[in-house]
């Protein structure tokens, strides 16, 4: 066990890249990088040349977060503008990481070892060339699964020339992320890599790479959701599955039904406005992280009862909640109610058009339905699968039809 722990502790810095690329070779020559290094972008009919250092605010900084979002806000008139902003954003984040977020890798080496390179006679990165060899599709900000190549190549020569190539702006951003992971902070200041020359060919193994975040059971402030998107992008994930509502609370504001969040949230300030939702979608879209929202149903909906008690069966049964639900509080949408259908129609008519510009997908939940709850449903009055199965099919068919008609792929 001690040998295993020691081996893990002293992992080579070569494996600081995450996830490990498809193919990766490197040497042991040290190169340094300065904020003034020139970076050029050629692709999608555009040419960009600028120093790596930028004038835009740090998008990771909570106090300037909204300013960053406004600076990066895309124009929806075409994919050329979106491509430019994805690449510009990636360049700025590369600067922020290299010159503000690196660390001294002392845990990667035996204690008290002299592992850092000599600061004399430094050789610096001379140039970073971003080459996009195809035009981004029109839906680059909300690509369908597998519609955009996320593959990239990265080469770093011993002379200090860097070339990153991809057929998409998202692939270039992944390449820049990998580039930052080659570098560490020196205790005397500055950023260096001891791995030149580097050759990487990388592509994702899985088309859908996501994380499920639940904001009903435990509310997450917006700054934490932004940090989550940052972490996903840094690990080259491409989906944030936002499980926004559940039995415990309804924090999502629906303008046509303000009572849902006004009465269903834990407390008045723990709510997500339409502006919050849009901002998170925009933030993610520039990092290749598509925000996919889920409103679970027909189960996991008892928080609706705080504003619409007539729609929920078996609400907050105590003490035997476990007879009617997988977890407390119990409660499920009634399964054979026209009032429930009208409610869902109004809910989705409000929500879906606001989500559609920046996502292809919507999740309808459908898990952990407790059949006993329908014994207490005055529109059903039975827990028999022979009765419930056709009603459940009708319920889901109705929801899926509305989702599809709004140009989503239902999940």
């Amino acid at each position: 066990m001690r040998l295993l722990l020691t081996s893990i502790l002293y992992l080579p810095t070569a494996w600081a890249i995450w996830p490990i690329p498809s193919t990766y070779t490197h040497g042991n020559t040290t190169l340094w990088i300065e904020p003034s290094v020139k970076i050029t972008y050629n692709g999608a009919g555009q040419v960009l040349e600028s120093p790596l250092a930028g004038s835009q605010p740090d998008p990771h900084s909570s106090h300037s977060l909204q300013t960053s979002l406004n600076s990066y806000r895309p124009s929806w008139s075409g994919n050329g503008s979106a491509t430019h902003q994805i690449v510009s954003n990636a360049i700025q984040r590369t600067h922020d990481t290299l010159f503000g977020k690196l660390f001294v890798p002392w845990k990667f080496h035996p204690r008290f070892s002299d592992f850092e390179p000599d600061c004399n006679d430094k050789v610096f990165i001379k140039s970073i060339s971003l080459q996009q060899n195809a035009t981004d599709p029109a839906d680059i900000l909300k690509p369908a699964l597998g519609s955009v190549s996320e593959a990239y190549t990265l080469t770093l020569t011993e002379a200090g020339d860097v070339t990153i190539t991809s057929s998409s702006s998202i692939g270039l951003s992944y390449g820049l992320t990998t580039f930052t992971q080659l570098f560490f902070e020196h205790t005397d200041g500055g950023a260096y890599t001891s791995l030149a020359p580097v050759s990487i060919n990388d592509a994702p193994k899985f088309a859908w790479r996501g994380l499920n975040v639940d904001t009903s059971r435990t509310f997450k402030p917006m700054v934490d959701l932004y940090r989550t998107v940052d972490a996903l992008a840094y690990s080259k994930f491409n989906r944030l599955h936002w499980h926004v509502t559940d039995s415990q609370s309804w924090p999502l504001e629906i303008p046509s039904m303000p009572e849902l969040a006004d009465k269903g949230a834990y407390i008045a300030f723990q709510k997500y406005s339409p502006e919050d939702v849009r901002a998170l979608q925009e933030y993610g879209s520039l990092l290749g992280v598509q925000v996919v929202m889920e409103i679970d149903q027909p189960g996991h909906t008892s928080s609706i009862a705080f504003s619409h008690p007539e729609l929920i069966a078996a609400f907050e049964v105590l003490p035997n909640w476990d007879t009617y639900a997988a977890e407390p509080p119990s409660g499920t949408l009634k399964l054979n109610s026209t009032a429930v259908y009208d409610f869902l129609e109004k809910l989705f008519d409000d929500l879906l058009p606001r989500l559609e510009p920046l996502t292809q997908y919507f999740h309808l939940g459908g898990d952990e339905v407790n059949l006993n709850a329908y014994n207490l449903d005055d529109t059903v009055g039975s827990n028999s699968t022979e009765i419930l199965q056709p009603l459940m099919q009708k319920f889901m068919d109705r929801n899926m039809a509305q989702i599809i008609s709004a140009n989503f792929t239902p999940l």
Side-chain angles (χ1 to χ4, degrees):
M1 177 62 74
R2 178 175 295 176
L3 177 61
L4 175 62
L5 291 176
T6 302
S7 299
I8 293 174
L9 184 63
Y10 301 142
L11 283 174
T13 57
W15 300 116
I17 297 176
W18 185 256
I20 297 173
S22 303
T23 64
Y24 173 27
T25 62
H26 67 88
N28 57 10
T29 297
T30 297
L31 296 173
W32 299 74
I33 190 166
E34 292 182 310
S36 60
V37 65
K38 295 296 182 181
I39 184 165
T40 59
Y41 164 69
N42 289 278
Q46 302 180 64
V47 177
L48 173 69
E49 182 172 346
S50 66
L52 187 57
S55 60
Q56 297 180 24
D58 178 359
H60 302 79
S61 173
S62 59
H63 70 271
S64 63
L65 190 53
Q66 193 58 50
T67 303
S68 294
L69 290 169
N70 292 335
S71 299
Y72 296 142
R73 191 172 301 276
S75 166
W76 309 111
S77 59
N79 68 324
S81 175
T83 295
H84 183 272
Q85 292 190 63
I86 289 170
V87 173
S88 297
N89 190 22
I91 292 171
Q92 180 63 38
R93 293 169 67 86
T94 298
H95 172 270
D96 296 337
T97 301
L98 287 173
F99 306 109
K101 296 178 172 64
L102 295 184
F103 59 92
V104 177
W106 59 270
K107 282 193 174 182
F108 291 173
H109 304 273
R111 65 177 63 201
F112 304 118
S113 62
D114 184 16
F115 62 86
E116 292 188 301
D118 189 352
C119 290
N120 296 316
D121 301 321
K122 294 179 179 179
V123 177
F124 288 93
I125 301 290
K126 294 191 299 185
S127 66
I128 302 172
S129 174
L130 306 179
Q131 302 288 338
Q132 185 174 342
N133 51 32
T135 301
D136 281 339
D139 64 352
I140 187 63
L141 293 171
K142 59 164 199 175
L145 190 65
S147 68
V148 172
S149 172
E150 299 171 289
Y152 67 91
T153 64
L154 186 159
T155 60
L156 167 60
T157 69
E158 287 184 302
D161 296 308
V162 180
T163 303
I164 300 172
T165 303
S166 178
S167 61
S168 72
S169 56
I170 297 300
L172 291 179
S173 76
Y174 289 156
L176 282 170
T177 296
T178 296
F179 178 71
T180 67
Q181 293 169 346
L182 296 169
F183 288 83
F184 295 95
E185 180 183 356
H186 197 284
T187 52
D188 291 334
Y192 72 92
T193 179
S194 295
L195 300 172
V198 173
S199 178
I200 291 173
N201 285 273
D202 197 15
K205 187 173 183 178
F206 302 102
W208 187 290
R209 307 179 303 282
L211 175 75
N212 187 320
V213 174
D214 185 327
T215 58
S216 171
R217 294 174 176 90
T218 55
F219 181 85
K220 313 294 191 302
M222 287 299 297
V223 68
D224 291 342
L225 292 178
Y226 291 126
R227 289 194 185 105
T228 300
V229 172
D230 285 340
L232 292 176
Y234 195 69
S235 300
K236 304 182 182 74
F237 280 52
N238 62 3
R239 296 291 186 274
L240 175 66
H241 181 138
W242 191 359
H243 185 92
V244 67
T245 64
D246 210 289
S247 293
Q248 286 73 18
S249 74
W250 185 288
L252 181 65
E253 291 183 356
I254 304 295
S256 64
M257 294 186 283
E259 70 279 1
L260 277 171
D262 287 346
K263 296 183 179 181
Y266 280 132
I267 195 168
F269 63 84
Q270 291 189 348
K271 296 188 288 189
Y272 302 108
S273 70
E275 293 74 24
D276 290 334
V277 173
R278 176 70 172 207
L280 186 64
Q281 283 188 295
E282 292 180 3
Y283 191 78
S285 71
L286 294 180
L287 304 181
V289 178
Q290 191 171 151
V291 178
V292 178
M293 187 173 286
E294 175 189 356
I295 293 184
D296 205 350
Q297 56 189 285
H300 294 272
T301 50
S302 59
S303 59
I304 295 173
F306 294 113
S307 57
H308 295 273
E310 72 281 2
L311 303 180
I312 301 297
F315 175 61
E316 209 162 22
V317 176
L318 294 171
N320 299 320
W321 60 264
D322 55 339
T323 301
Y324 302 100
E327 60 183 22
S330 62
T332 183
L333 283 170
K334 294 179 179 180
L335 201 55
N336 194 27
S337 166
T338 57
V340 168
Y341 285 176
D342 291 343
F343 169 84
L344 292 171
E345 186 85 18
K346 184 176 181 180
L347 170 67
F348 290 143
D349 279 348
D350 186 320
L351 178 62
L352 296 179
R354 293 187 280 107
L355 299 179
E356 191 271 339
L358 286 171
T359 184
Q360 301 262 5
Y361 304 97
F362 189 84
H363 203 295
L364 287 166
D367 66 314
E368 296 183 328
V369 174
N370 190 301
L371 304 186
N372 292 329
Y374 297 108
N375 282 326
L376 305 184
D377 180 347
D378 58 10
T379 70
V380 179
S382 174
N383 66 354
S384 168
T385 56
E386 292 182 357
I387 294 174
L388 294 175
Q389 195 281 330
L391 292 176
M392 185 66 73
Q393 190 66 58
K394 178 183 176 183
F395 181 92
M396 295 306 294
D397 285 348
R398 192 224 72 83
N399 294 338
M400 290 184 68
Q402 188 175 0
I403 299 300
I404 292 170
S405 69
N407 300 317
F408 286 82
T409 298
L411 302 174

